[in-house]
Amino acid sequence: MSAPADPISVLIVDDDALVRAGLSMILGGAPDIALVGEAADGDEVPAMVARHRPDIVLMDIRMPKLDGLEATERLRAAPRPPEVVILTTFHADVQVLRALRAGAAGFLLKDTPPGDLVEAIRRVAAGEPILSPIVTRQLIDHVADPWAGDRRSRARELLDRLSGREREVALAVGRGGSNAEIGAELFMSVATVKAHVSRVLTKLELNNRVQIALTVHDAGHV
């Protein structure tokens, strides 16, 4: 009989004590999730992450000292960072988009139903982004980006680094396909799809599938 898997460790970062209490209560009811700490501001995050080594950080954006965007950028630039899930009250928020570009695995609205929130954490822990291509497109379309032209040129240059097969996989990721769906579409095994995704991340110097999808969107291919 195999040993039970370690619980998914989560750190909550939000300046609203009621939000932290609500999230703590929700996560406390999931047997496979362990709340390892709470922080009230982004400036507390590095020490908390160093102490508790969480798998996932639930990160608010608007905080008084250090906002969640800067905290996310610092975390994701560090070696072996935890996954970051942004907590927000708005779908279309320029800071949400910037956090995703910095490497956040997705975002959750603060009024997400408890069961959906727990399932989202499980998905992120399993390596899946929690961001549908429809929401990605809506976010990009509704947030004014004065650098859109520069981003398109840069994204197309990045995609030109890829082999033909890697590019096909990247475009399929941008359309929101799972590894199994991409494998069926491109007549590959799931293991081969994973290998291609890994090579795409390395060649484009990205750190998760959300960033691949954003690059594909920036290039104008979705």
Side-chain angles (χ1 to χ4, degrees):
M1 182 176 180
S2 61
D6 292 333
I8 304 162
S9 56
V10 177
L11 171 67
I12 296 171
V13 185
D14 197 297
D15 64 333
D16 188 325
L18 286 177
V19 171
R20 296 198 307 272
L23 291 171
S24 178
M25 186 178 302
I26 292 168
L27 300 182
D32 57 339
I33 296 175
L35 178 62
V36 296
E38 299 180 15
D41 203 283
D43 65 349
E44 301 173 21
V45 172
M48 295 287 283
V49 168
R51 184 181 309 127
H52 299 293
R53 296 294 177 188
D55 299 311
I56 296 172
V57 176
L58 292 181
M59 182 85 75
D60 187 25
I61 287 184
R62 293 170 177 82
M63 293 179 285
K65 295 179 182 177
L66 184 69
D67 66 31
L69 173 62
E70 182 69 22
T72 297
E73 290 173 341
R74 293 181 185 182
L75 269 186
R76 294 301 298 173
R80 300 179 64 185
E83 296 293 346
V84 177
V85 176
I86 298 299
L87 293 169
T88 182
T89 54
F90 305 103
H91 283 94
D93 188 312
V94 65
Q95 290 184 304
V96 172
L97 188 53
R98 286 177 62 192
L100 296 175
R101 294 191 190 283
F107 71 89
L108 291 169
L109 297 179
K110 290 189 177 182
D111 61 357
T112 298
D116 292 348
L117 187 147
V118 169
E119 184 57 30
I121 289 174
R122 290 172 178 152
R123 286 177 55 194
V124 170
E128 300 177 30
I130 49 170
L131 195 66
S132 74
I134 293 175
V135 171
T136 305
R137 192 176 306 118
Q138 289 174 340
L139 190 61
I140 292 173
D141 289 345
H142 286 86
V143 174
D145 186 355
W147 307 107
D150 292 341
R151 289 194 187 281
R152 174 161 294 195
S153 297
R154 173 60 176 163
R156 289 181 174 180
E157 289 174 4
L158 286 173
L159 293 179
D160 285 344
R161 297 180 185 177
L162 304 178
S163 69
R165 208 57 165 156
E166 290 164 353
R167 185 184 181 90
E168 288 179 329
V169 170
L171 295 181
V173 170
R175 293 191 293 271
S178 66
N179 287 341
E181 290 167 341
I182 295 170
E185 176 186 345
L186 300 179
F187 304 102
M188 298 178 180
S189 69
V190 170
T192 300
V193 173
K194 289 181 178 179
H196 279 304
V197 170
S198 179
R199 284 196 289 272
V200 170
L201 291 171
T202 299
K203 283 189 175 183
L204 304 191
E205 299 178 359
L206 304 175
N207 60 33
N208 62 30
R209 294 170 73 104
V210 172
Q211 290 186 326
I212 295 176
L214 288 173
T215 300
V216 170
H217 279 272
D218 285 344
H221 293 310
V222 176

